[in-house]
Amino acid sequence: MFKKILVANRGEIALRVMRTAREMGIKTVAVYSEADRSALHVRFADEAICLGPAASSQSYLRGDKIIAESLRLGVEAIHPGYGFLSENAAFCQAVTDAGLVFIGPTPHAIEIMGDKLASKRAVAEYNVPMVPGTPGAVSDPDEALRLAAEIGYPVLIKASAGGGGKGMRVVERPQDLKAEMARASSEAASAFGNGAVFVEKFVTKPRHIEVQVLGDTQGNVVHLFERECSIQRRHQKVIEEAPSSILTPELRAAMGASAVAVAKSVNYTSAGTVEFLMDADHKYYFLEMNTRLQVEHPVTELITGIDLVREQINIAAGKPISFRQQDLRIHGHALELRVYAEDPTNRFLPDVGTLHTYRRPQGPGIRLDDGFEEGMEIPIHYDPMIAKLCAWGANREQAIDRMLRAIAEYRINGVKTTLGFGAFAIDSVPFRTGDFDTKFVEQHFDPEKLKRDNADEAEIAALLAARLNSLHQVTQGAASALAQPRTAWQLNRS
Ligand code: MV4
């Protein structure tokens, strides 16, 4: 096993990785920018290296410097976390070329899965459901028109190099196709340096369900069930949960097998996530694979009891996955709320500043992954996520109730946060009954209403407690009616 690893990241995820490393008896090296000198991940690590000025391009993205410092300090392996260099195939290759171990997949897997068309080609032989669409890039507008007519409108034009919804365009009618295609292509060319686009059937009001996988260097690949991430705004996830409230055991097994097949198509090693879209008829389609440890991995850890970072480190050291597929069970239900320093009543604009009050929620079933303490400043240079608040319960209702209780207990003053927005979403009837899709925020969120609720800060906790009480009673009937068919005895009496 490694004696010393470097964590090429910051904030909560750097701490998360270092905690497991410490449990495993592995020494840790932190890296930091000038803006993060007093950050918690720096204090937690055994050693720390300043990479340069605040801008990511001069610090956390300096792969050359990270590798040079690793060699100087006798580091054996590098964990990239998420974001920054985590899905950079060239960095992964450079780490390996320097004689170090990249705690993640191979450059080959990163490269193929980073290109949507290449990933579809790799997966094509594996009998995994895919959205009907063009098999390759389309550059001739007349050909695109012919193919779109075959696929059927509405269609979606996507950039092959795209991600996070960039370069995507919905086309409802054939007369709009050529113009939208030109727009999508030039958008993709300027954003990704690659103008290749393809056409797919547009799945309306989809749910976003992703499957966690692990692969080892012995060729074993397992899945750790799904996470549902449909509650998002502008491709930024807000609430994630595991398991999904709509999957049957049969569908779960089928999606798990599909996810394993996707991973096998690139001989995947380490932790990865296979994304699917699910339509209103509960048909699912492979979308893409993320070749990193994801932000929302804790909900999977909470329902499986598996430490994904421990598995990643063991796999990178050449060991097999610590369990077999048939040993895994889903235990209870978990939710994650991403708490951002953003103002939900003002178009979610970042609201960075000093955390004058910062008191964490505690108690049964709560896990909080954060990287801040009271008095600290949230730097403007990076993602404004303050924390990931997770709640585990024996069932979905208990996880929801614990999450609402923890939100009410969480005290943050000095910056605006998405806590109140999270409470609204989790406490809403669509969320409680499981009747939602990726359009949830657009359809159900009313910033004016949240503003009124926020008007008296001191009243929030009381308000939440009251609402928790009443809505619980209102929706419990509906939710349990869904979950359990009534017995004849009950029916005779109603
Ligand atoms: C789609 C789609 C509907 N139909 N593909 C969004 C980001 C990118 N990874 C793929 N995305 C989508 N692809 C087809 N054929 C709808 C989306 C989509 C979406 C997907 C997952 C989570 C949230 C989303 C929000 C809007 C659109």
Side-chain angles (χ1 to χ4, degrees):
M1 184 42 66
F2 308 122
K3 290 190 189 66
K4 195 195 269 191
I5 68 170
L6 180 145
V7 181
N9 215 299
R10 63 181 299 280
E12 66 86 17
I13 194 61
L15 275 164
R16 157 78 195 86
V17 171
M18 289 180 200
R19 286 194 161 110
T20 288
R22 182 152 299 163
E23 288 173 19
M24 296 173 79
I26 300 169
K27 293 262 182 264
T28 57
V29 179
V31 295
Y32 62 96
S33 73
E34 285 164 14
D36 279 341
R37 275 188 192 288
S38 52
L40 294 185
H41 75 282
V42 177
R43 275 194 257 156
F44 189 93
D46 296 298
E47 294 171 84
I49 296 296
C50 182
L51 291 172
S56 300
S57 61
Q58 296 181 71
S59 52
Y60 296 105
L61 291 171
R62 286 289 305 272
D64 55 338
K65 211 161 175 179
I66 290 168
I67 291 170
E69 291 293 342
S70 295
L71 293 171
R72 190 173 68 80
L73 294 172
V75 162
E76 296 158 273
I78 298 178
H79 194 301
Y82 54 71
F84 296 124
L85 295 163
S86 62
E87 289 173 286
N88 183 322
F91 175 70
C92 174
Q93 185 65 59
V95 169
T96 311
D97 291 346
L100 303 165
V101 178
F102 183 77
I103 304 174
T106 58
H108 168 77
I110 296 175
E111 209 158 287
I112 302 263
M113 292 304 173
D115 181 302
K116 291 190 178 141
L117 284 170
S119 70
K120 283 186 138 192
R121 271 197 300 278
V123 169
E125 305 151 42
Y126 284 80
N127 198 27
V128 173
M130 285 197 259
V131 187
T134 58
V138 202
S139 50
D140 174 14
D142 289 308
E143 196 198 344
L145 212 48
R146 248 194 334 273
L147 292 165
E150 265 173 49
I151 293 166
Y153 289 85
V155 296
L156 187 61
I157 304 172
K158 288 185 176 179
S160 186
K166 262 182 236 144
M168 288 197 334
R169 299 206 103 82
V170 182
V171 184
E172 307 273 354
R173 314 171 304 170
Q175 57 266 44
D176 301 331
L177 188 84
K178 286 187 185 181
E180 292 295 350
M181 189 171 149
R183 277 200 202 103
S185 182
S186 77
E187 214 173 284
S190 61
F192 315 113
N194 172 1
V197 296
F198 61 104
V199 183
E200 272 183 359
K201 174 88 189 157
F202 179 59
V203 180
T204 49
K205 295 182 133 213
R207 294 176 75 121
H208 173 135
I209 298 179
E210 57 186 35
V211 178
Q212 176 70 54
V213 297
L214 278 174
D216 63 26
T217 51
Q218 286 74 28
N220 304 301
V221 181
V222 296
H223 73 84
L224 292 91
F225 312 111
E226 77 282 0
R227 296 184 287 261
E228 165 129 20
C229 313
S230 295
I231 311 279
Q232 51 84 45
R233 74 169 278 287
R234 305 200 172 187
H235 305 290
Q236 172 148 289
K237 293 166 185 169
V238 182
I239 296 161
E240 300 103 339
E241 66 177 311
S244 164
S245 58
I246 58 159
L247 291 200
T248 59
E250 292 72 33
L251 207 43
R252 175 167 297 121
M255 291 179 83
S258 289
V260 166
V262 170
K264 284 192 168 160
S265 77
V266 290
N267 299 314
Y268 200 81
T269 50
S270 196
T273 298
V274 181
E275 288 187 14
F276 297 97
L277 284 183
M278 182 166 281
D279 67 17
D281 300 328
H282 291 192
K283 284 208 291 258
Y284 70 89
Y285 309 95
F286 167 64
L287 205 54
E288 53 196 77
M289 180 170 190
N290 300 319
T291 55
R292 61 173 186 274
L293 182 73
Q294 299 215 147
V295 175
E296 60 272 27
H297 77 278
V299 292
T300 299
E301 297 187 322
L302 286 168
I303 62 152
T304 59
I306 301 296
D307 179 337
L308 287 166
V309 173
R310 177 182 283 263
E311 296 298 325
Q312 282 191 302
I313 294 173
N314 276 331
I315 290 165
K319 294 190 178 179
I321 297 164
S322 72
F323 57 91
R324 293 168 309 171
Q325 186 74 61
Q326 62 263 36
D327 300 332
L328 268 198
R329 293 285 177 278
I330 296 178
H331 184 60
H333 202 99
L335 299 174
E336 174 179 284
L337 171 67
R338 298 193 192 185
V339 184
Y340 287 99
E342 289 175 351
D343 182 0
T345 65
N346 187 18
R347 295 175 299 139
F348 292 85
L349 289 178
D351 189 52
V352 294
T354 303
L355 294 168
H356 292 302
T357 310
Y358 188 73
R359 268 176 268 154
R360 297 177 173 90
Q362 293 178 317
I366 298 304
R367 168 174 170 176
L368 187 69
D369 288 38
D370 65 4
F372 294 98
E373 275 179 349
E374 194 162 274
M376 280 184 169
E377 190 129 335
I378 298 172
I380 51 166
H381 311 282
Y382 317 106
D383 183 73
M385 194 174 75
I386 301 171
K388 306 186 308 203
L389 175 56
C390 296
W392 180 88
N395 52 49
R396 194 168 185 266
E397 275 91 65
Q398 190 181 39
I400 288 175
D401 293 345
R402 282 182 166 165
M403 178 63 92
L404 292 173
R405 184 268 296 168
I407 292 171
E409 211 177 303
Y410 208 162
R411 286 297 142 77
I412 302 177
N413 285 320
V415 300
K416 300 222 170 63
T417 78
T418 52
L419 272 175
F421 168 71
F424 144 78
I426 288 166
D427 205 12
S428 68
V429 171
F431 189 79
R432 281 216 185 239
T433 57
D435 178 23
F436 57 87
D437 55 55
T438 50
K439 294 247 184 287
F440 174 88
V441 178
E442 287 160 59
Q443 284 177 351
H444 301 289
F445 179 53
D446 177 2
E448 290 308 314
K449 172 138 194 337
L450 188 65
K451 230 182 244 176
R452 288 196 294 276
D453 287 357
N454 281 348
D456 190 347
E457 281 268 312
E459 258 182 330
I460 290 179
L463 217 129
L464 261 171
R467 239 201 275 162
L468 171 55
N469 231 335
S470 66
L471 247 144
H472 189 69
Q473 278 153 17
V474 170
T475 56
Q476 207 171 30
S480 56
L482 278 177
Q484 308 155 343
R486 292 184 182 197
T487 64
W489 185 83
Q490 284 171 315
L491 286 173
N492 288 341
R493 269 156 199 275
S494 56

